[in-house]
PDB file of all heavy atoms in Angstrom:
ATOM      1  N   LEU A   1     152.778 143.452 107.191  1.00 61.00           N
ATOM      2  CA  LEU A   1     153.446 144.737 107.316  1.00 61.00           C
ATOM      3  C   LEU A   1     154.582 144.669 108.315  1.00 61.00           C
ATOM      4  O   LEU A   1     154.476 144.030 109.351  1.00 61.00           O
ATOM      5  CB  LEU A   1     152.444 145.818 107.749  1.00 61.00           C
ATOM      6  CG  LEU A   1     151.394 146.230 106.716  1.00 61.00           C
ATOM      7  CD1 LEU A   1     150.419 147.214 107.337  1.00 61.00           C
ATOM      8  CD2 LEU A   1     152.034 146.835 105.490  1.00 61.00           C
ATOM      9  N   TRP A   2     155.664 145.392 107.989  1.00 55.00           N
ATOM     10  CA  TRP A   2     156.826 145.433 108.866  1.00 55.00           C
ATOM     11  C   TRP A   2     157.196 146.886 109.155  1.00 55.00           C
ATOM     12  O   TRP A   2     157.189 147.725 108.263  1.00 55.00           O
ATOM     13  CB  TRP A   2     158.040 144.751 108.213  1.00 55.00           C
ATOM     14  CG  TRP A   2     157.901 143.277 108.072  1.00 55.00           C
ATOM     15  CD1 TRP A   2     157.071 142.611 107.220  1.00 55.00           C
ATOM     16  CD2 TRP A   2     158.601 142.273 108.807  1.00 55.00           C
ATOM     17  NE1 TRP A   2     157.212 141.258 107.376  1.00 55.00           N
ATOM     18  CE2 TRP A   2     158.144 141.019 108.338  1.00 55.00           C
ATOM     19  CE3 TRP A   2     159.575 142.303 109.790  1.00 55.00           C
ATOM     20  CZ2 TRP A   2     158.628 139.822 108.832  1.00 55.00           C
ATOM     21  CZ3 TRP A   2     160.069 141.104 110.286  1.00 55.00           C
ATOM     22  CH2 TRP A   2     159.588 139.888 109.814  1.00 55.00           C
ATOM     23  N   ALA A   3     157.499 147.164 110.407  1.00 62.00           N
ATOM     24  CA  ALA A   3     158.113 148.448 110.775  1.00 62.00           C
ATOM     25  C   ALA A   3     159.595 148.148 110.893  1.00 62.00           C
ATOM     26  O   ALA A   3     160.089 147.788 111.955  1.00 62.00           O
ATOM     27  CB  ALA A   3     157.538 148.983 112.085  1.00 62.00           C
ATOM     28  N   LEU A   4     160.303 148.275 109.768  1.00 60.00           N
ATOM     29  CA  LEU A   4     161.670 147.769 109.662  1.00 60.00           C
ATOM     30  C   LEU A   4     162.497 148.729 108.824  1.00 60.00           C
ATOM     31  O   LEU A   4     162.016 149.273 107.830  1.00 60.00           O
ATOM     32  CB  LEU A   4     161.645 146.389 108.998  1.00 60.00           C
ATOM     33  CG  LEU A   4     162.941 145.598 108.890  1.00 60.00           C
ATOM     34  CD1 LEU A   4     163.388 145.115 110.262  1.00 60.00           C
ATOM     35  CD2 LEU A   4     162.735 144.403 107.960  1.00 60.00           C
ATOM     36  N   ALA A   5     163.726 148.974 109.260  1.00 62.00           N
ATOM     37  CA  ALA A   5     164.630 149.781 108.446  1.00 62.00           C
ATOM     38  C   ALA A   5     164.807 149.095 107.095  1.00 62.00           C
ATOM     39  O   ALA A   5     165.212 147.927 107.043  1.00 62.00           O
ATOM     40  CB  ALA A   5     165.964 149.942 109.157  1.00 62.00           C
ATOM     41  N   PRO A   6     164.509 149.769 105.970  1.00 61.00           N
ATOM     42  CA  PRO A   6     164.470 149.097 104.663  1.00 61.00           C
ATOM     43  C   PRO A   6     165.772 148.451 104.251  1.00 61.00           C
ATOM     44  O   PRO A   6     165.762 147.423 103.579  1.00 61.00           O
ATOM     45  CB  PRO A   6     164.062 150.237 103.704  1.00 61.00           C
ATOM     46  CG  PRO A   6     164.384 151.495 104.426  1.00 61.00           C
ATOM     47  CD  PRO A   6     164.180 151.192 105.874  1.00 61.00           C
ATOM     48  N   GLN A   7     166.908 149.032 104.644  1.00 59.00           N
ATOM     49  CA  GLN A   7     168.175 148.445 104.229  1.00 59.00           C
ATOM     50  C   GLN A   7     168.442 147.097 104.881  1.00 59.00           C
ATOM     51  O   GLN A   7     169.350 146.373 104.487  1.00 59.00           O
ATOM     52  CB  GLN A   7     169.344 149.397 104.516  1.00 59.00           C
ATOM     53  CG  GLN A   7     169.524 149.775 105.975  1.00 59.00           C
ATOM     54  CD  GLN A   7     168.820 151.071 106.310  1.00 59.00           C
ATOM     55  OE1 GLN A   7     167.673 151.248 105.929  1.00 59.00           O
ATOM     56  NE2 GLN A   7     169.501 151.963 106.991  1.00 59.00           N
ATOM     57  N   PHE A   8     167.634 146.758 105.912  1.00 58.00           N
ATOM     58  CA  PHE A   8     167.807 145.471 106.583  1.00 58.00           C
ATOM     59  C   PHE A   8     166.747 144.446 106.157  1.00 58.00           C
ATOM     60  O   PHE A   8     166.779 143.311 106.608  1.00 58.00           O
ATOM     61  CB  PHE A   8     167.738 145.655 108.097  1.00 58.00           C
ATOM     62  CG  PHE A   8     168.843 146.501 108.653  1.00 58.00           C
ATOM     63  CD1 PHE A   8     168.627 147.835 108.933  1.00 58.00           C
ATOM     64  CD2 PHE A   8     170.102 145.977 108.872  1.00 58.00           C
ATOM     65  CE1 PHE A   8     169.640 148.632 109.439  1.00 58.00           C
ATOM     66  CE2 PHE A   8     171.121 146.763 109.380  1.00 58.00           C
ATOM     67  CZ  PHE A   8     170.892 148.103 109.660  1.00 58.00           C
ATOM     68  N   ALA A   9     165.815 144.862 105.318  1.00 59.00           N
ATOM     69  CA  ALA A   9     164.686 143.995 104.985  1.00 59.00           C
ATOM     70  C   ALA A   9     165.131 142.687 104.341  1.00 59.00           C
ATOM     71  O   ALA A   9     164.715 141.597 104.738  1.00 59.00           O
ATOM     72  CB  ALA A   9     163.714 144.743 104.072  1.00 59.00           C
ATOM     73  N   GLU A  10     165.990 142.781 103.326  1.00 60.00           N
ATOM     74  CA  GLU A  10     166.422 141.576 102.616  1.00 60.00           C
ATOM     75  C   GLU A  10     167.190 140.643 103.547  1.00 60.00           C
ATOM     76  O   GLU A  10     166.989 139.421 103.534  1.00 60.00           O
ATOM     77  CB  GLU A  10     167.295 141.968 101.417  1.00 60.00           C
ATOM     78  CG  GLU A  10     167.594 140.814 100.477  1.00 60.00           C
ATOM     79  CD  GLU A  10     166.355 140.343  99.729  1.00 60.00           C
ATOM     80  OE1 GLU A  10     165.430 141.157  99.545  1.00 60.00           O
ATOM     81  OE2 GLU A  10     166.336 139.166  99.325  1.00 60.00           O
ATOM     82  N   GLN A  11     168.057 141.247 104.365  1.00 61.00           N
ATOM     83  CA  GLN A  11     168.853 140.432 105.296  1.00 61.00           C
ATOM     84  C   GLN A  11     167.954 139.710 106.295  1.00 61.00           C
ATOM     85  O   GLN A  11     168.155 138.536 106.603  1.00 61.00           O
ATOM     86  CB  GLN A  11     169.847 141.325 106.033  1.00 61.00           C
ATOM     87  CG  GLN A  11     170.652 140.584 107.095  1.00 61.00           C
ATOM     88  CD  GLN A  11     171.547 141.526 107.886  1.00 61.00           C
ATOM     89  OE1 GLN A  11     171.830 142.634 107.440  1.00 61.00           O
ATOM     90  NE2 GLN A  11     171.969 141.084 109.053  1.00 61.00           N
ATOM     91  N   VAL A  12     166.938 140.428 106.797  1.00 58.00           N
ATOM     92  CA  VAL A  12     166.037 139.834 107.781  1.00 58.00           C
ATOM     93  C   VAL A  12     165.273 138.656 107.187  1.00 58.00           C
ATOM     94  O   VAL A  12     165.155 137.581 107.790  1.00 58.00           O
ATOM     95  CB  VAL A  12     165.059 140.900 108.309  1.00 58.00           C
ATOM     96  CG1 VAL A  12     163.922 140.243 109.086  1.00 58.00           C
ATOM     97  CG2 VAL A  12     165.799 141.892 109.184  1.00 58.00           C
ATOM     98  N   LEU A  13     164.771 138.825 105.974  1.00 58.00           N
ATOM     99  CA  LEU A  13     164.017 137.741 105.346  1.00 58.00           C
ATOM    100  C   LEU A  13     164.906 136.531 105.075  1.00 58.00           C
ATOM    101  O   LEU A  13     164.483 135.386 105.219  1.00 58.00           O
ATOM    102  CB  LEU A  13     163.380 138.242 104.052  1.00 58.00           C
ATOM    103  CG  LEU A  13     162.254 139.278 104.229  1.00 58.00           C
ATOM    104  CD1 LEU A  13     161.776 139.770 102.869  1.00 58.00           C
ATOM    105  CD2 LEU A  13     161.091 138.685 105.011  1.00 58.00           C
ATOM    106  N   CYS A  14     166.149 136.792 104.705  1.00 57.00           N
ATOM    107  CA  CYS A  14     167.084 135.675 104.484  1.00 57.00           C
ATOM    108  C   CYS A  14     167.395 134.953 105.793  1.00 57.00           C
ATOM    109  O   CYS A  14     167.487 133.718 105.826  1.00 57.00           O
ATOM    110  CB  CYS A  14     168.373 136.194 103.850  1.00 57.00           C
ATOM    111  SG  CYS A  14     168.178 136.736 102.137  1.00 57.00           S
ATOM    112  N   ASP A  15     167.523 135.726 106.861  1.00 60.00           N
ATOM    113  CA  ASP A  15     167.783 135.116 108.165  1.00 60.00           C
ATOM    114  C   ASP A  15     166.628 134.222 108.593  1.00 60.00           C
ATOM    115  O   ASP A  15     166.823 133.129 109.121  1.00 60.00           O
ATOM    116  CB  ASP A  15     168.016 136.200 109.220  1.00 60.00           C
ATOM    117  CG  ASP A  15     169.371 136.877 109.053  1.00 60.00           C
ATOM    118  OD1 ASP A  15     170.208 136.329 108.323  1.00 60.00           O
ATOM    119  OD2 ASP A  15     169.570 137.952 109.659  1.00 60.00           O
ATOM    120  N   ILE A  16     165.415 134.695 108.353  1.00 56.00           N
ATOM    121  CA  ILE A  16     164.236 133.902 108.720  1.00 56.00           C
ATOM    122  C   ILE A  16     164.199 132.595 107.932  1.00 56.00           C
ATOM    123  O   ILE A  16     163.922 131.516 108.476  1.00 56.00           O
ATOM    124  CB  ILE A  16     162.946 134.720 108.479  1.00 56.00           C
ATOM    125  CG1 ILE A  16     162.863 135.881 109.471  1.00 56.00           C
ATOM    126  CG2 ILE A  16     161.711 133.829 108.598  1.00 56.00           C
ATOM    127  CD1 ILE A  16     161.680 136.800 109.234  1.00 56.00           C
ATOM    128  N   GLN A  17     164.513 132.693 106.647  1.00 53.00           N
ATOM    129  CA  GLN A  17     164.503 131.486 105.817  1.00 53.00           C
ATOM    130  C   GLN A  17     165.574 130.495 106.285  1.00 53.00           C
ATOM    131  O   GLN A  17     165.354 129.283 106.309  1.00 53.00           O
ATOM    132  CB  GLN A  17     164.739 131.872 104.359  1.00 53.00           C
ATOM    133  CG  GLN A  17     164.422 130.745 103.379  1.00 53.00           C
ATOM    134  CD  GLN A  17     164.353 131.238 101.955  1.00 53.00           C
ATOM    135  OE1 GLN A  17     164.966 132.243 101.615  1.00 53.00           O
ATOM    136  NE2 GLN A  17     163.596 130.537 101.111  1.00 53.00           N
ATOM    137  N   ALA A  18     166.747 131.025 106.687  1.00 50.00           N
ATOM    138  CA  ALA A  18     167.809 130.154 107.175  1.00 50.00           C
ATOM    139  C   ALA A  18     167.408 129.463 108.468  1.00 50.00           C
ATOM    140  O   ALA A  18     167.709 128.284 108.687  1.00 50.00           O
ATOM    141  CB  ALA A  18     169.084 130.968 107.380  1.00 50.00           C
ATOM    142  N   ARG A  19     166.703 130.193 109.312  1.00 49.00           N
ATOM    143  CA  ARG A  19     166.277 129.597 110.588  1.00 49.00           C
ATOM    144  C   ARG A  19     165.270 128.470 110.370  1.00 49.00           C
ATOM    145  O   ARG A  19     165.151 127.567 111.187  1.00 49.00           O
ATOM    146  CB  ARG A  19     165.677 130.669 111.486  1.00 49.00           C
ATOM    147  CG  ARG A  19     166.711 131.618 112.072  1.00 49.00           C
ATOM    148  CD  ARG A  19     166.020 132.811 112.709  1.00 49.00           C
ATOM    149  NE  ARG A  19     167.008 133.789 113.127  1.00 49.00           N
ATOM    150  CZ  ARG A  19     167.225 134.153 114.374  1.00 49.00           C
ATOM    151  NH1 ARG A  19     166.545 133.598 115.340  1.00 49.00           N
ATOM    152  NH2 ARG A  19     168.113 135.072 114.670  1.00 49.00           N
ATOM    153  N   MET A  20     164.506 128.548 109.267  1.00 45.00           N
ATOM    154  CA  MET A  20     163.517 127.499 108.998  1.00 45.00           C
ATOM    155  C   MET A  20     164.193 126.159 108.712  1.00 45.00           C
ATOM    156  O   MET A  20     163.606 125.101 108.921  1.00 45.00           O
ATOM    157  CB  MET A  20     162.633 127.910 107.818  1.00 45.00           C
ATOM    158  CG  MET A  20     161.753 129.126 108.096  1.00 45.00           C
ATOM    159  SD  MET A  20     160.831 129.665 106.637  1.00 45.00           S
ATOM    160  CE  MET A  20     159.730 128.282 106.405  1.00 45.00           C
ATOM    161  N   THR A  21     165.424 126.203 108.220  1.00 39.00           N
ATOM    162  CA  THR A  21     166.112 124.956 107.880  1.00 39.00           C
ATOM    163  C   THR A  21     167.128 124.523 108.928  1.00 39.00           C
ATOM    164  O   THR A  21     167.534 123.369 108.950  1.00 39.00           O
ATOM    165  CB  THR A  21     166.833 125.106 106.530  1.00 39.00           C
ATOM    166  OG1 THR A  21     167.746 126.213 106.608  1.00 39.00           O
ATOM    167  CG2 THR A  21     165.831 125.381 105.426  1.00 39.00           C
ATOM    168  N   SER A  22     167.569 125.470 109.770  1.00 38.00           N
ATOM    169  CA  SER A  22     168.546 125.109 110.805  1.00 38.00           C
ATOM    170  C   SER A  22     168.248 125.889 112.073  1.00 38.00           C
ATOM    171  O   SER A  22     168.721 126.998 112.255  1.00 38.00           O
ATOM    172  CB  SER A  22     169.967 125.433 110.334  1.00 38.00           C
ATOM    173  OG  SER A  22     170.100 126.795 110.044  1.00 38.00           O
ATOM    174  N   TRP A  23     167.408 125.319 112.892  1.00 36.00           N
ATOM    175  CA  TRP A  23     166.990 125.980 114.122  1.00 36.00           C
ATOM    176  C   TRP A  23     167.452 125.180 115.327  1.00 36.00           C
ATOM    177  O   TRP A  23     167.303 123.976 115.383  1.00 36.00           O
ATOM    178  CB  TRP A  23     165.464 126.137 114.152  1.00 36.00           C
ATOM    179  CG  TRP A  23     164.968 126.659 115.443  1.00 36.00           C
ATOM    180  CD1 TRP A  23     165.282 127.838 116.038  1.00 36.00           C
ATOM    181  CD2 TRP A  23     164.052 126.014 116.333  1.00 36.00           C
ATOM    182  NE1 TRP A  23     164.630 127.987 117.229  1.00 36.00           N
ATOM    183  CE2 TRP A  23     163.864 126.870 117.435  1.00 36.00           C
ATOM    184  CE3 TRP A  23     163.371 124.788 116.298  1.00 36.00           C
ATOM    185  CZ2 TRP A  23     163.027 126.560 118.494  1.00 36.00           C
ATOM    186  CZ3 TRP A  23     162.534 124.489 117.347  1.00 36.00           C
ATOM    187  CH2 TRP A  23     162.368 125.363 118.430  1.00 36.00           C
ATOM    188  N   ARG A  24     168.053 125.881 116.273  1.00 37.00           N
ATOM    189  CA  ARG A  24     168.463 125.244 117.520  1.00 37.00           C
ATOM    190  C   ARG A  24     167.946 126.077 118.679  1.00 37.00           C
ATOM    191  O   ARG A  24     168.081 127.300 118.685  1.00 37.00           O
ATOM    192  CB  ARG A  24     169.987 125.144 117.607  1.00 37.00           C
ATOM    193  CG  ARG A  24     170.595 124.202 116.606  1.00 37.00           C
ATOM    194  CD  ARG A  24     172.089 124.128 116.791  1.00 37.00           C
ATOM    195  NE  ARG A  24     172.724 125.428 116.612  1.00 37.00           N
ATOM    196  CZ  ARG A  24     174.015 125.647 116.837  1.00 37.00           C
ATOM    197  NH1 ARG A  24     174.794 124.682 117.276  1.00 37.00           N
ATOM    198  NH2 ARG A  24     174.525 126.850 116.643  1.00 37.00           N
ATOM    199  N   MET A  25     167.378 125.413 119.634  1.00 35.00           N
ATOM    200  CA  MET A  25     166.880 126.115 120.813  1.00 35.00           C
ATOM    201  C   MET A  25     168.054 126.701 121.586  1.00 35.00           C
ATOM    202  O   MET A  25     169.059 126.051 121.796  1.00 35.00           O
ATOM    203  CB  MET A  25     166.102 125.162 121.726  1.00 35.00           C
ATOM    204  CG  MET A  25     164.770 124.721 121.168  1.00 35.00           C
ATOM    205  SD  MET A  25     163.580 126.077 121.121  1.00 35.00           S
ATOM    206  CE  MET A  25     163.280 126.282 122.878  1.00 35.00           C
ATOM    207  N   SER A  26     167.912 127.966 122.014  1.00 42.00           N
ATOM    208  CA  SER A  26     168.957 128.620 122.803  1.00 42.00           C
ATOM    209  C   SER A  26     168.808 128.350 124.293  1.00 42.00           C
ATOM    210  O   SER A  26     169.693 128.679 125.068  1.00 42.00           O
ATOM    211  CB  SER A  26     168.924 130.132 122.559  1.00 42.00           C
ATOM    212  OG  SER A  26     167.669 130.666 122.913  1.00 42.00           O
ATOM    213  N   VAL A  27     167.685 127.757 124.670  1.00 44.00           N
ATOM    214  CA  VAL A  27     167.434 127.476 126.087  1.00 44.00           C
ATOM    215  C   VAL A  27     167.395 125.962 126.282  1.00 44.00           C
ATOM    216  O   VAL A  27     166.691 125.261 125.561  1.00 44.00           O
ATOM    217  CB  VAL A  27     166.093 128.101 126.543  1.00 44.00           C
ATOM    218  CG1 VAL A  27     165.847 127.802 128.012  1.00 44.00           C
ATOM    219  CG2 VAL A  27     166.101 129.594 126.282  1.00 44.00           C
ATOM    220  N   PRO A  28     168.161 125.427 127.231  1.00 46.00           N
ATOM    221  CA  PRO A  28     168.152 123.990 127.468  1.00 46.00           C
ATOM    222  C   PRO A  28     166.747 123.477 127.770  1.00 46.00           C
ATOM    223  O   PRO A  28     165.933 124.180 128.374  1.00 46.00           O
ATOM    224  CB  PRO A  28     169.071 123.825 128.683  1.00 46.00           C
ATOM    225  CG  PRO A  28     169.953 125.033 128.646  1.00 46.00           C
ATOM    226  CD  PRO A  28     169.100 126.129 128.107  1.00 46.00           C
ATOM    227  N   ALA A  29     166.500 122.248 127.355  1.00 46.00           N
ATOM    228  CA  ALA A  29     165.185 121.653 127.577  1.00 46.00           C
ATOM    229  C   ALA A  29     164.875 121.595 129.067  1.00 46.00           C
ATOM    230  O   ALA A  29     165.728 121.275 129.885  1.00 46.00           O
ATOM    231  CB  ALA A  29     165.149 120.246 126.973  1.00 46.00           C
ATOM    232  N   GLY A  30     163.621 121.927 129.392  1.00 50.00           N
ATOM    233  CA  GLY A  30     163.192 121.871 130.781  1.00 50.00           C
ATOM    234  C   GLY A  30     163.487 123.115 131.592  1.00 50.00           C
ATOM    235  O   GLY A  30     163.117 123.203 132.756  1.00 50.00           O
ATOM    236  N   GLN A  31     164.159 124.103 130.974  1.00 49.00           N
ATOM    237  CA  GLN A  31     164.476 125.334 131.679  1.00 49.00           C
ATOM    238  C   GLN A  31     163.711 126.507 131.073  1.00 49.00           C
ATOM    239  O   GLN A  31     163.519 126.585 129.870  1.00 49.00           O
ATOM    240  CB  GLN A  31     165.973 125.635 131.624  1.00 49.00           C
ATOM    241  CG  GLN A  31     166.838 124.619 132.343  1.00 49.00           C
ATOM    242  CD  GLN A  31     168.304 125.029 132.340  1.00 49.00           C
ATOM    243  OE1 GLN A  31     168.626 126.178 132.102  1.00 49.00           O
ATOM    244  NE2 GLN A  31     169.173 124.074 132.614  1.00 49.00           N
ATOM    245  N   GLU A  32     163.279 127.419 131.934  1.00 54.00           N
ATOM    246  CA  GLU A  32     162.621 128.622 131.477  1.00 54.00           C
ATOM    247  C   GLU A  32     163.675 129.638 131.034  1.00 54.00           C
ATOM    248  O   GLU A  32     164.693 129.801 131.693  1.00 54.00           O
ATOM    249  CB  GLU A  32     161.762 129.225 132.600  1.00 54.00           C
ATOM    250  CG  GLU A  32     160.496 128.448 132.904  1.00 54.00           C
ATOM    251  CD  GLU A  32     159.518 128.479 131.736  1.00 54.00           C
ATOM    252  OE1 GLU A  32     159.442 129.513 131.053  1.00 54.00           O
ATOM    253  OE2 GLU A  32     158.853 127.457 131.509  1.00 54.00           O
ATOM    254  N   PRO A  33     163.474 130.346 129.928  1.00 52.00           N
ATOM    255  CA  PRO A  33     164.440 131.365 129.511  1.00 52.00           C
ATOM    256  C   PRO A  33     164.477 132.511 130.516  1.00 52.00           C
ATOM    257  O   PRO A  33     163.468 132.853 131.121  1.00 52.00           O
ATOM    258  CB  PRO A  33     163.894 131.837 128.162  1.00 52.00           C
ATOM    259  CG  PRO A  33     162.438 131.491 128.186  1.00 52.00           C
ATOM    260  CD  PRO A  33     162.330 130.237 129.001  1.00 52.00           C
ATOM    261  N   ARG A  34     165.640 133.063 130.683  1.00 59.00           N
ATOM    262  CA  ARG A  34     165.790 134.181 131.610  1.00 59.00           C
ATOM    263  C   ARG A  34     165.267 135.442 130.947  1.00 59.00           C
ATOM    264  O   ARG A  34     165.748 135.853 129.897  1.00 59.00           O
ATOM    265  CB  ARG A  34     167.264 134.350 131.982  1.00 59.00           C
ATOM    266  CG  ARG A  34     167.491 135.369 133.084  1.00 59.00           C
ATOM    267  CD  ARG A  34     168.942 135.382 133.489  1.00 59.00           C
ATOM    268  NE  ARG A  34     169.168 136.258 134.616  1.00 59.00           N
ATOM    269  CZ  ARG A  34     170.347 136.447 135.199  1.00 59.00           C
ATOM    270  NH1 ARG A  34     171.394 135.783 134.739  1.00 59.00           N
ATOM    271  NH2 ARG A  34     170.481 137.263 136.210  1.00 59.00           N
ATOM    272  N   ARG A  35     164.301 136.072 131.591  1.00 84.00           N
ATOM    273  CA  ARG A  35     163.617 137.204 130.973  1.00 84.00           C
ATOM    274  C   ARG A  35     164.334 138.534 131.199  1.00 84.00           C
ATOM    275  O   ARG A  35     164.166 139.448 130.408  1.00 84.00           O
ATOM    276  CB  ARG A  35     162.183 137.299 131.517  1.00 84.00           C
ATOM    277  CG  ARG A  35     161.326 136.095 131.194  1.00 84.00           C
ATOM    278  CD  ARG A  35     161.048 136.005 129.705  1.00 84.00           C
ATOM    279  NE  ARG A  35     160.265 134.823 129.373  1.00 84.00           N
ATOM    280  CZ  ARG A  35     159.862 134.527 128.152  1.00 84.00           C
ATOM    281  NH1 ARG A  35     160.174 135.308 127.145  1.00 84.00           N
ATOM    282  NH2 ARG A  35     159.163 133.438 127.915  1.00 84.00           N
ATOM    283  N   PHE A  36     165.081 138.678 132.279  1.00 91.00           N
ATOM    284  CA  PHE A  36     165.813 139.919 132.511  1.00 91.00           C
ATOM    285  C   PHE A  36     166.988 139.639 133.440  1.00 91.00           C
ATOM    286  O   PHE A  36     167.025 138.629 134.140  1.00 91.00           O
ATOM    287  CB  PHE A  36     164.909 141.007 133.112  1.00 91.00           C
ATOM    288  CG  PHE A  36     164.400 140.711 134.490  1.00 91.00           C
ATOM    289  CD1 PHE A  36     165.168 141.011 135.616  1.00 91.00           C
ATOM    290  CD2 PHE A  36     163.152 140.142 134.688  1.00 91.00           C
ATOM    291  CE1 PHE A  36     164.706 140.746 136.894  1.00 91.00           C
ATOM    292  CE2 PHE A  36     162.675 139.863 135.959  1.00 91.00           C
ATOM    293  CZ  PHE A  36     163.464 140.171 137.069  1.00 91.00           C
ATOM    294  N   SER A  37     167.955 140.542 133.422  1.00 91.00           N
ATOM    295  CA  SER A  37     169.077 140.468 134.358  1.00 91.00           C
ATOM    296  C   SER A  37     168.936 141.609 135.352  1.00 91.00           C
ATOM    297  O   SER A  37     168.535 142.720 134.979  1.00 91.00           O
ATOM    298  CB  SER A  37     170.413 140.568 133.619  1.00 91.00           C
ATOM    299  OG  SER A  37     170.510 141.790 132.915  1.00 91.00           O
ATOM    300  N   LEU A  38     169.269 141.340 136.606  1.00 93.00           N
ATOM    301  CA  LEU A  38     169.123 142.346 137.661  1.00 93.00           C
ATOM    302  C   LEU A  38     170.481 142.975 137.931  1.00 93.00           C
ATOM    303  O   LEU A  38     171.432 142.295 138.311  1.00 93.00           O
ATOM    304  CB  LEU A  38     168.566 141.694 138.936  1.00 93.00           C
ATOM    305  CG  LEU A  38     168.213 142.660 140.074  1.00 93.00           C
ATOM    306  CD1 LEU A  38     167.094 143.599 139.638  1.00 93.00           C
ATOM    307  CD2 LEU A  38     167.789 141.882 141.318  1.00 93.00           C
ATOM    308  N   ARG A  39     170.565 144.276 137.759  1.00 93.00           N
ATOM    309  CA  ARG A  39     171.818 145.016 137.974  1.00 93.00           C
ATOM    310  C   ARG A  39     171.547 146.234 138.840  1.00 93.00           C
ATOM    311  O   ARG A  39     170.875 147.168 138.410  1.00 93.00           O
ATOM    312  CB  ARG A  39     172.426 145.433 136.635  1.00 93.00           C
ATOM    313  CG  ARG A  39     172.814 144.250 135.763  1.00 93.00           C
ATOM    314  CD  ARG A  39     173.252 144.695 134.386  1.00 93.00           C
ATOM    315  NE  ARG A  39     174.384 145.618 134.442  1.00 93.00           N
ATOM    316  CZ  ARG A  39     174.883 146.228 133.357  1.00 93.00           C
ATOM    317  NH1 ARG A  39     174.343 146.002 132.164  1.00 93.00           N
ATOM    318  NH2 ARG A  39     175.899 147.045 133.472  1.00 93.00           N
ATOM    319  N   ARG A  40     172.045 146.176 140.081  1.00 92.00           N
ATOM    320  CA  ARG A  40     171.896 147.279 141.042  1.00 92.00           C
ATOM    321  C   ARG A  40     170.445 147.712 141.202  1.00 92.00           C
ATOM    322  O   ARG A  40     170.127 148.887 141.277  1.00 92.00           O
ATOM    323  CB  ARG A  40     172.757 148.463 140.617  1.00 92.00           C
ATOM    324  CG  ARG A  40     174.244 148.215 140.822  1.00 92.00           C
ATOM    325  CD  ARG A  40     175.046 149.424 140.415  1.00 92.00           C
ATOM    326  NE  ARG A  40     175.093 149.589 138.975  1.00 92.00           N
ATOM    327  CZ  ARG A  40     175.219 150.745 138.350  1.00 92.00           C
ATOM    328  NH1 ARG A  40     175.283 151.866 139.030  1.00 92.00           N
ATOM    329  NH2 ARG A  40     175.279 150.796 137.036  1.00 92.00           N
TER     330      ARG A  40
END
């Protein structure tokens, strides 16, 4: 089940399928991803 705006459903599923064949980590190896930014 998905709680998803229906007009985006097809696009989302296509994006997921594309990621299965071409995935690149956005965080350099050995580094923890930044969870939040501190502003004031």
Side-chain angles (χ1 to χ4, degrees):
L1 290 175
W2 291 71
L4 186 70
Q7 60 266 46
F8 296 99
E10 190 68 26
Q11 176 185 341
V12 167
L13 292 176
C14 290
D15 287 345
I16 292 175
Q17 194 167 26
R19 287 168 187 243
M20 294 175 67
T21 57
S22 59
W23 173 60
R24 293 182 300 174
M25 289 291 290
S26 59
V27 180
Q31 295 184 18
E32 287 294 324
R34 188 174 185 179
R35 297 292 178 178
F36 66 85
S37 60
L38 187 63
R39 297 173 58 185
R40 288 181 287 151

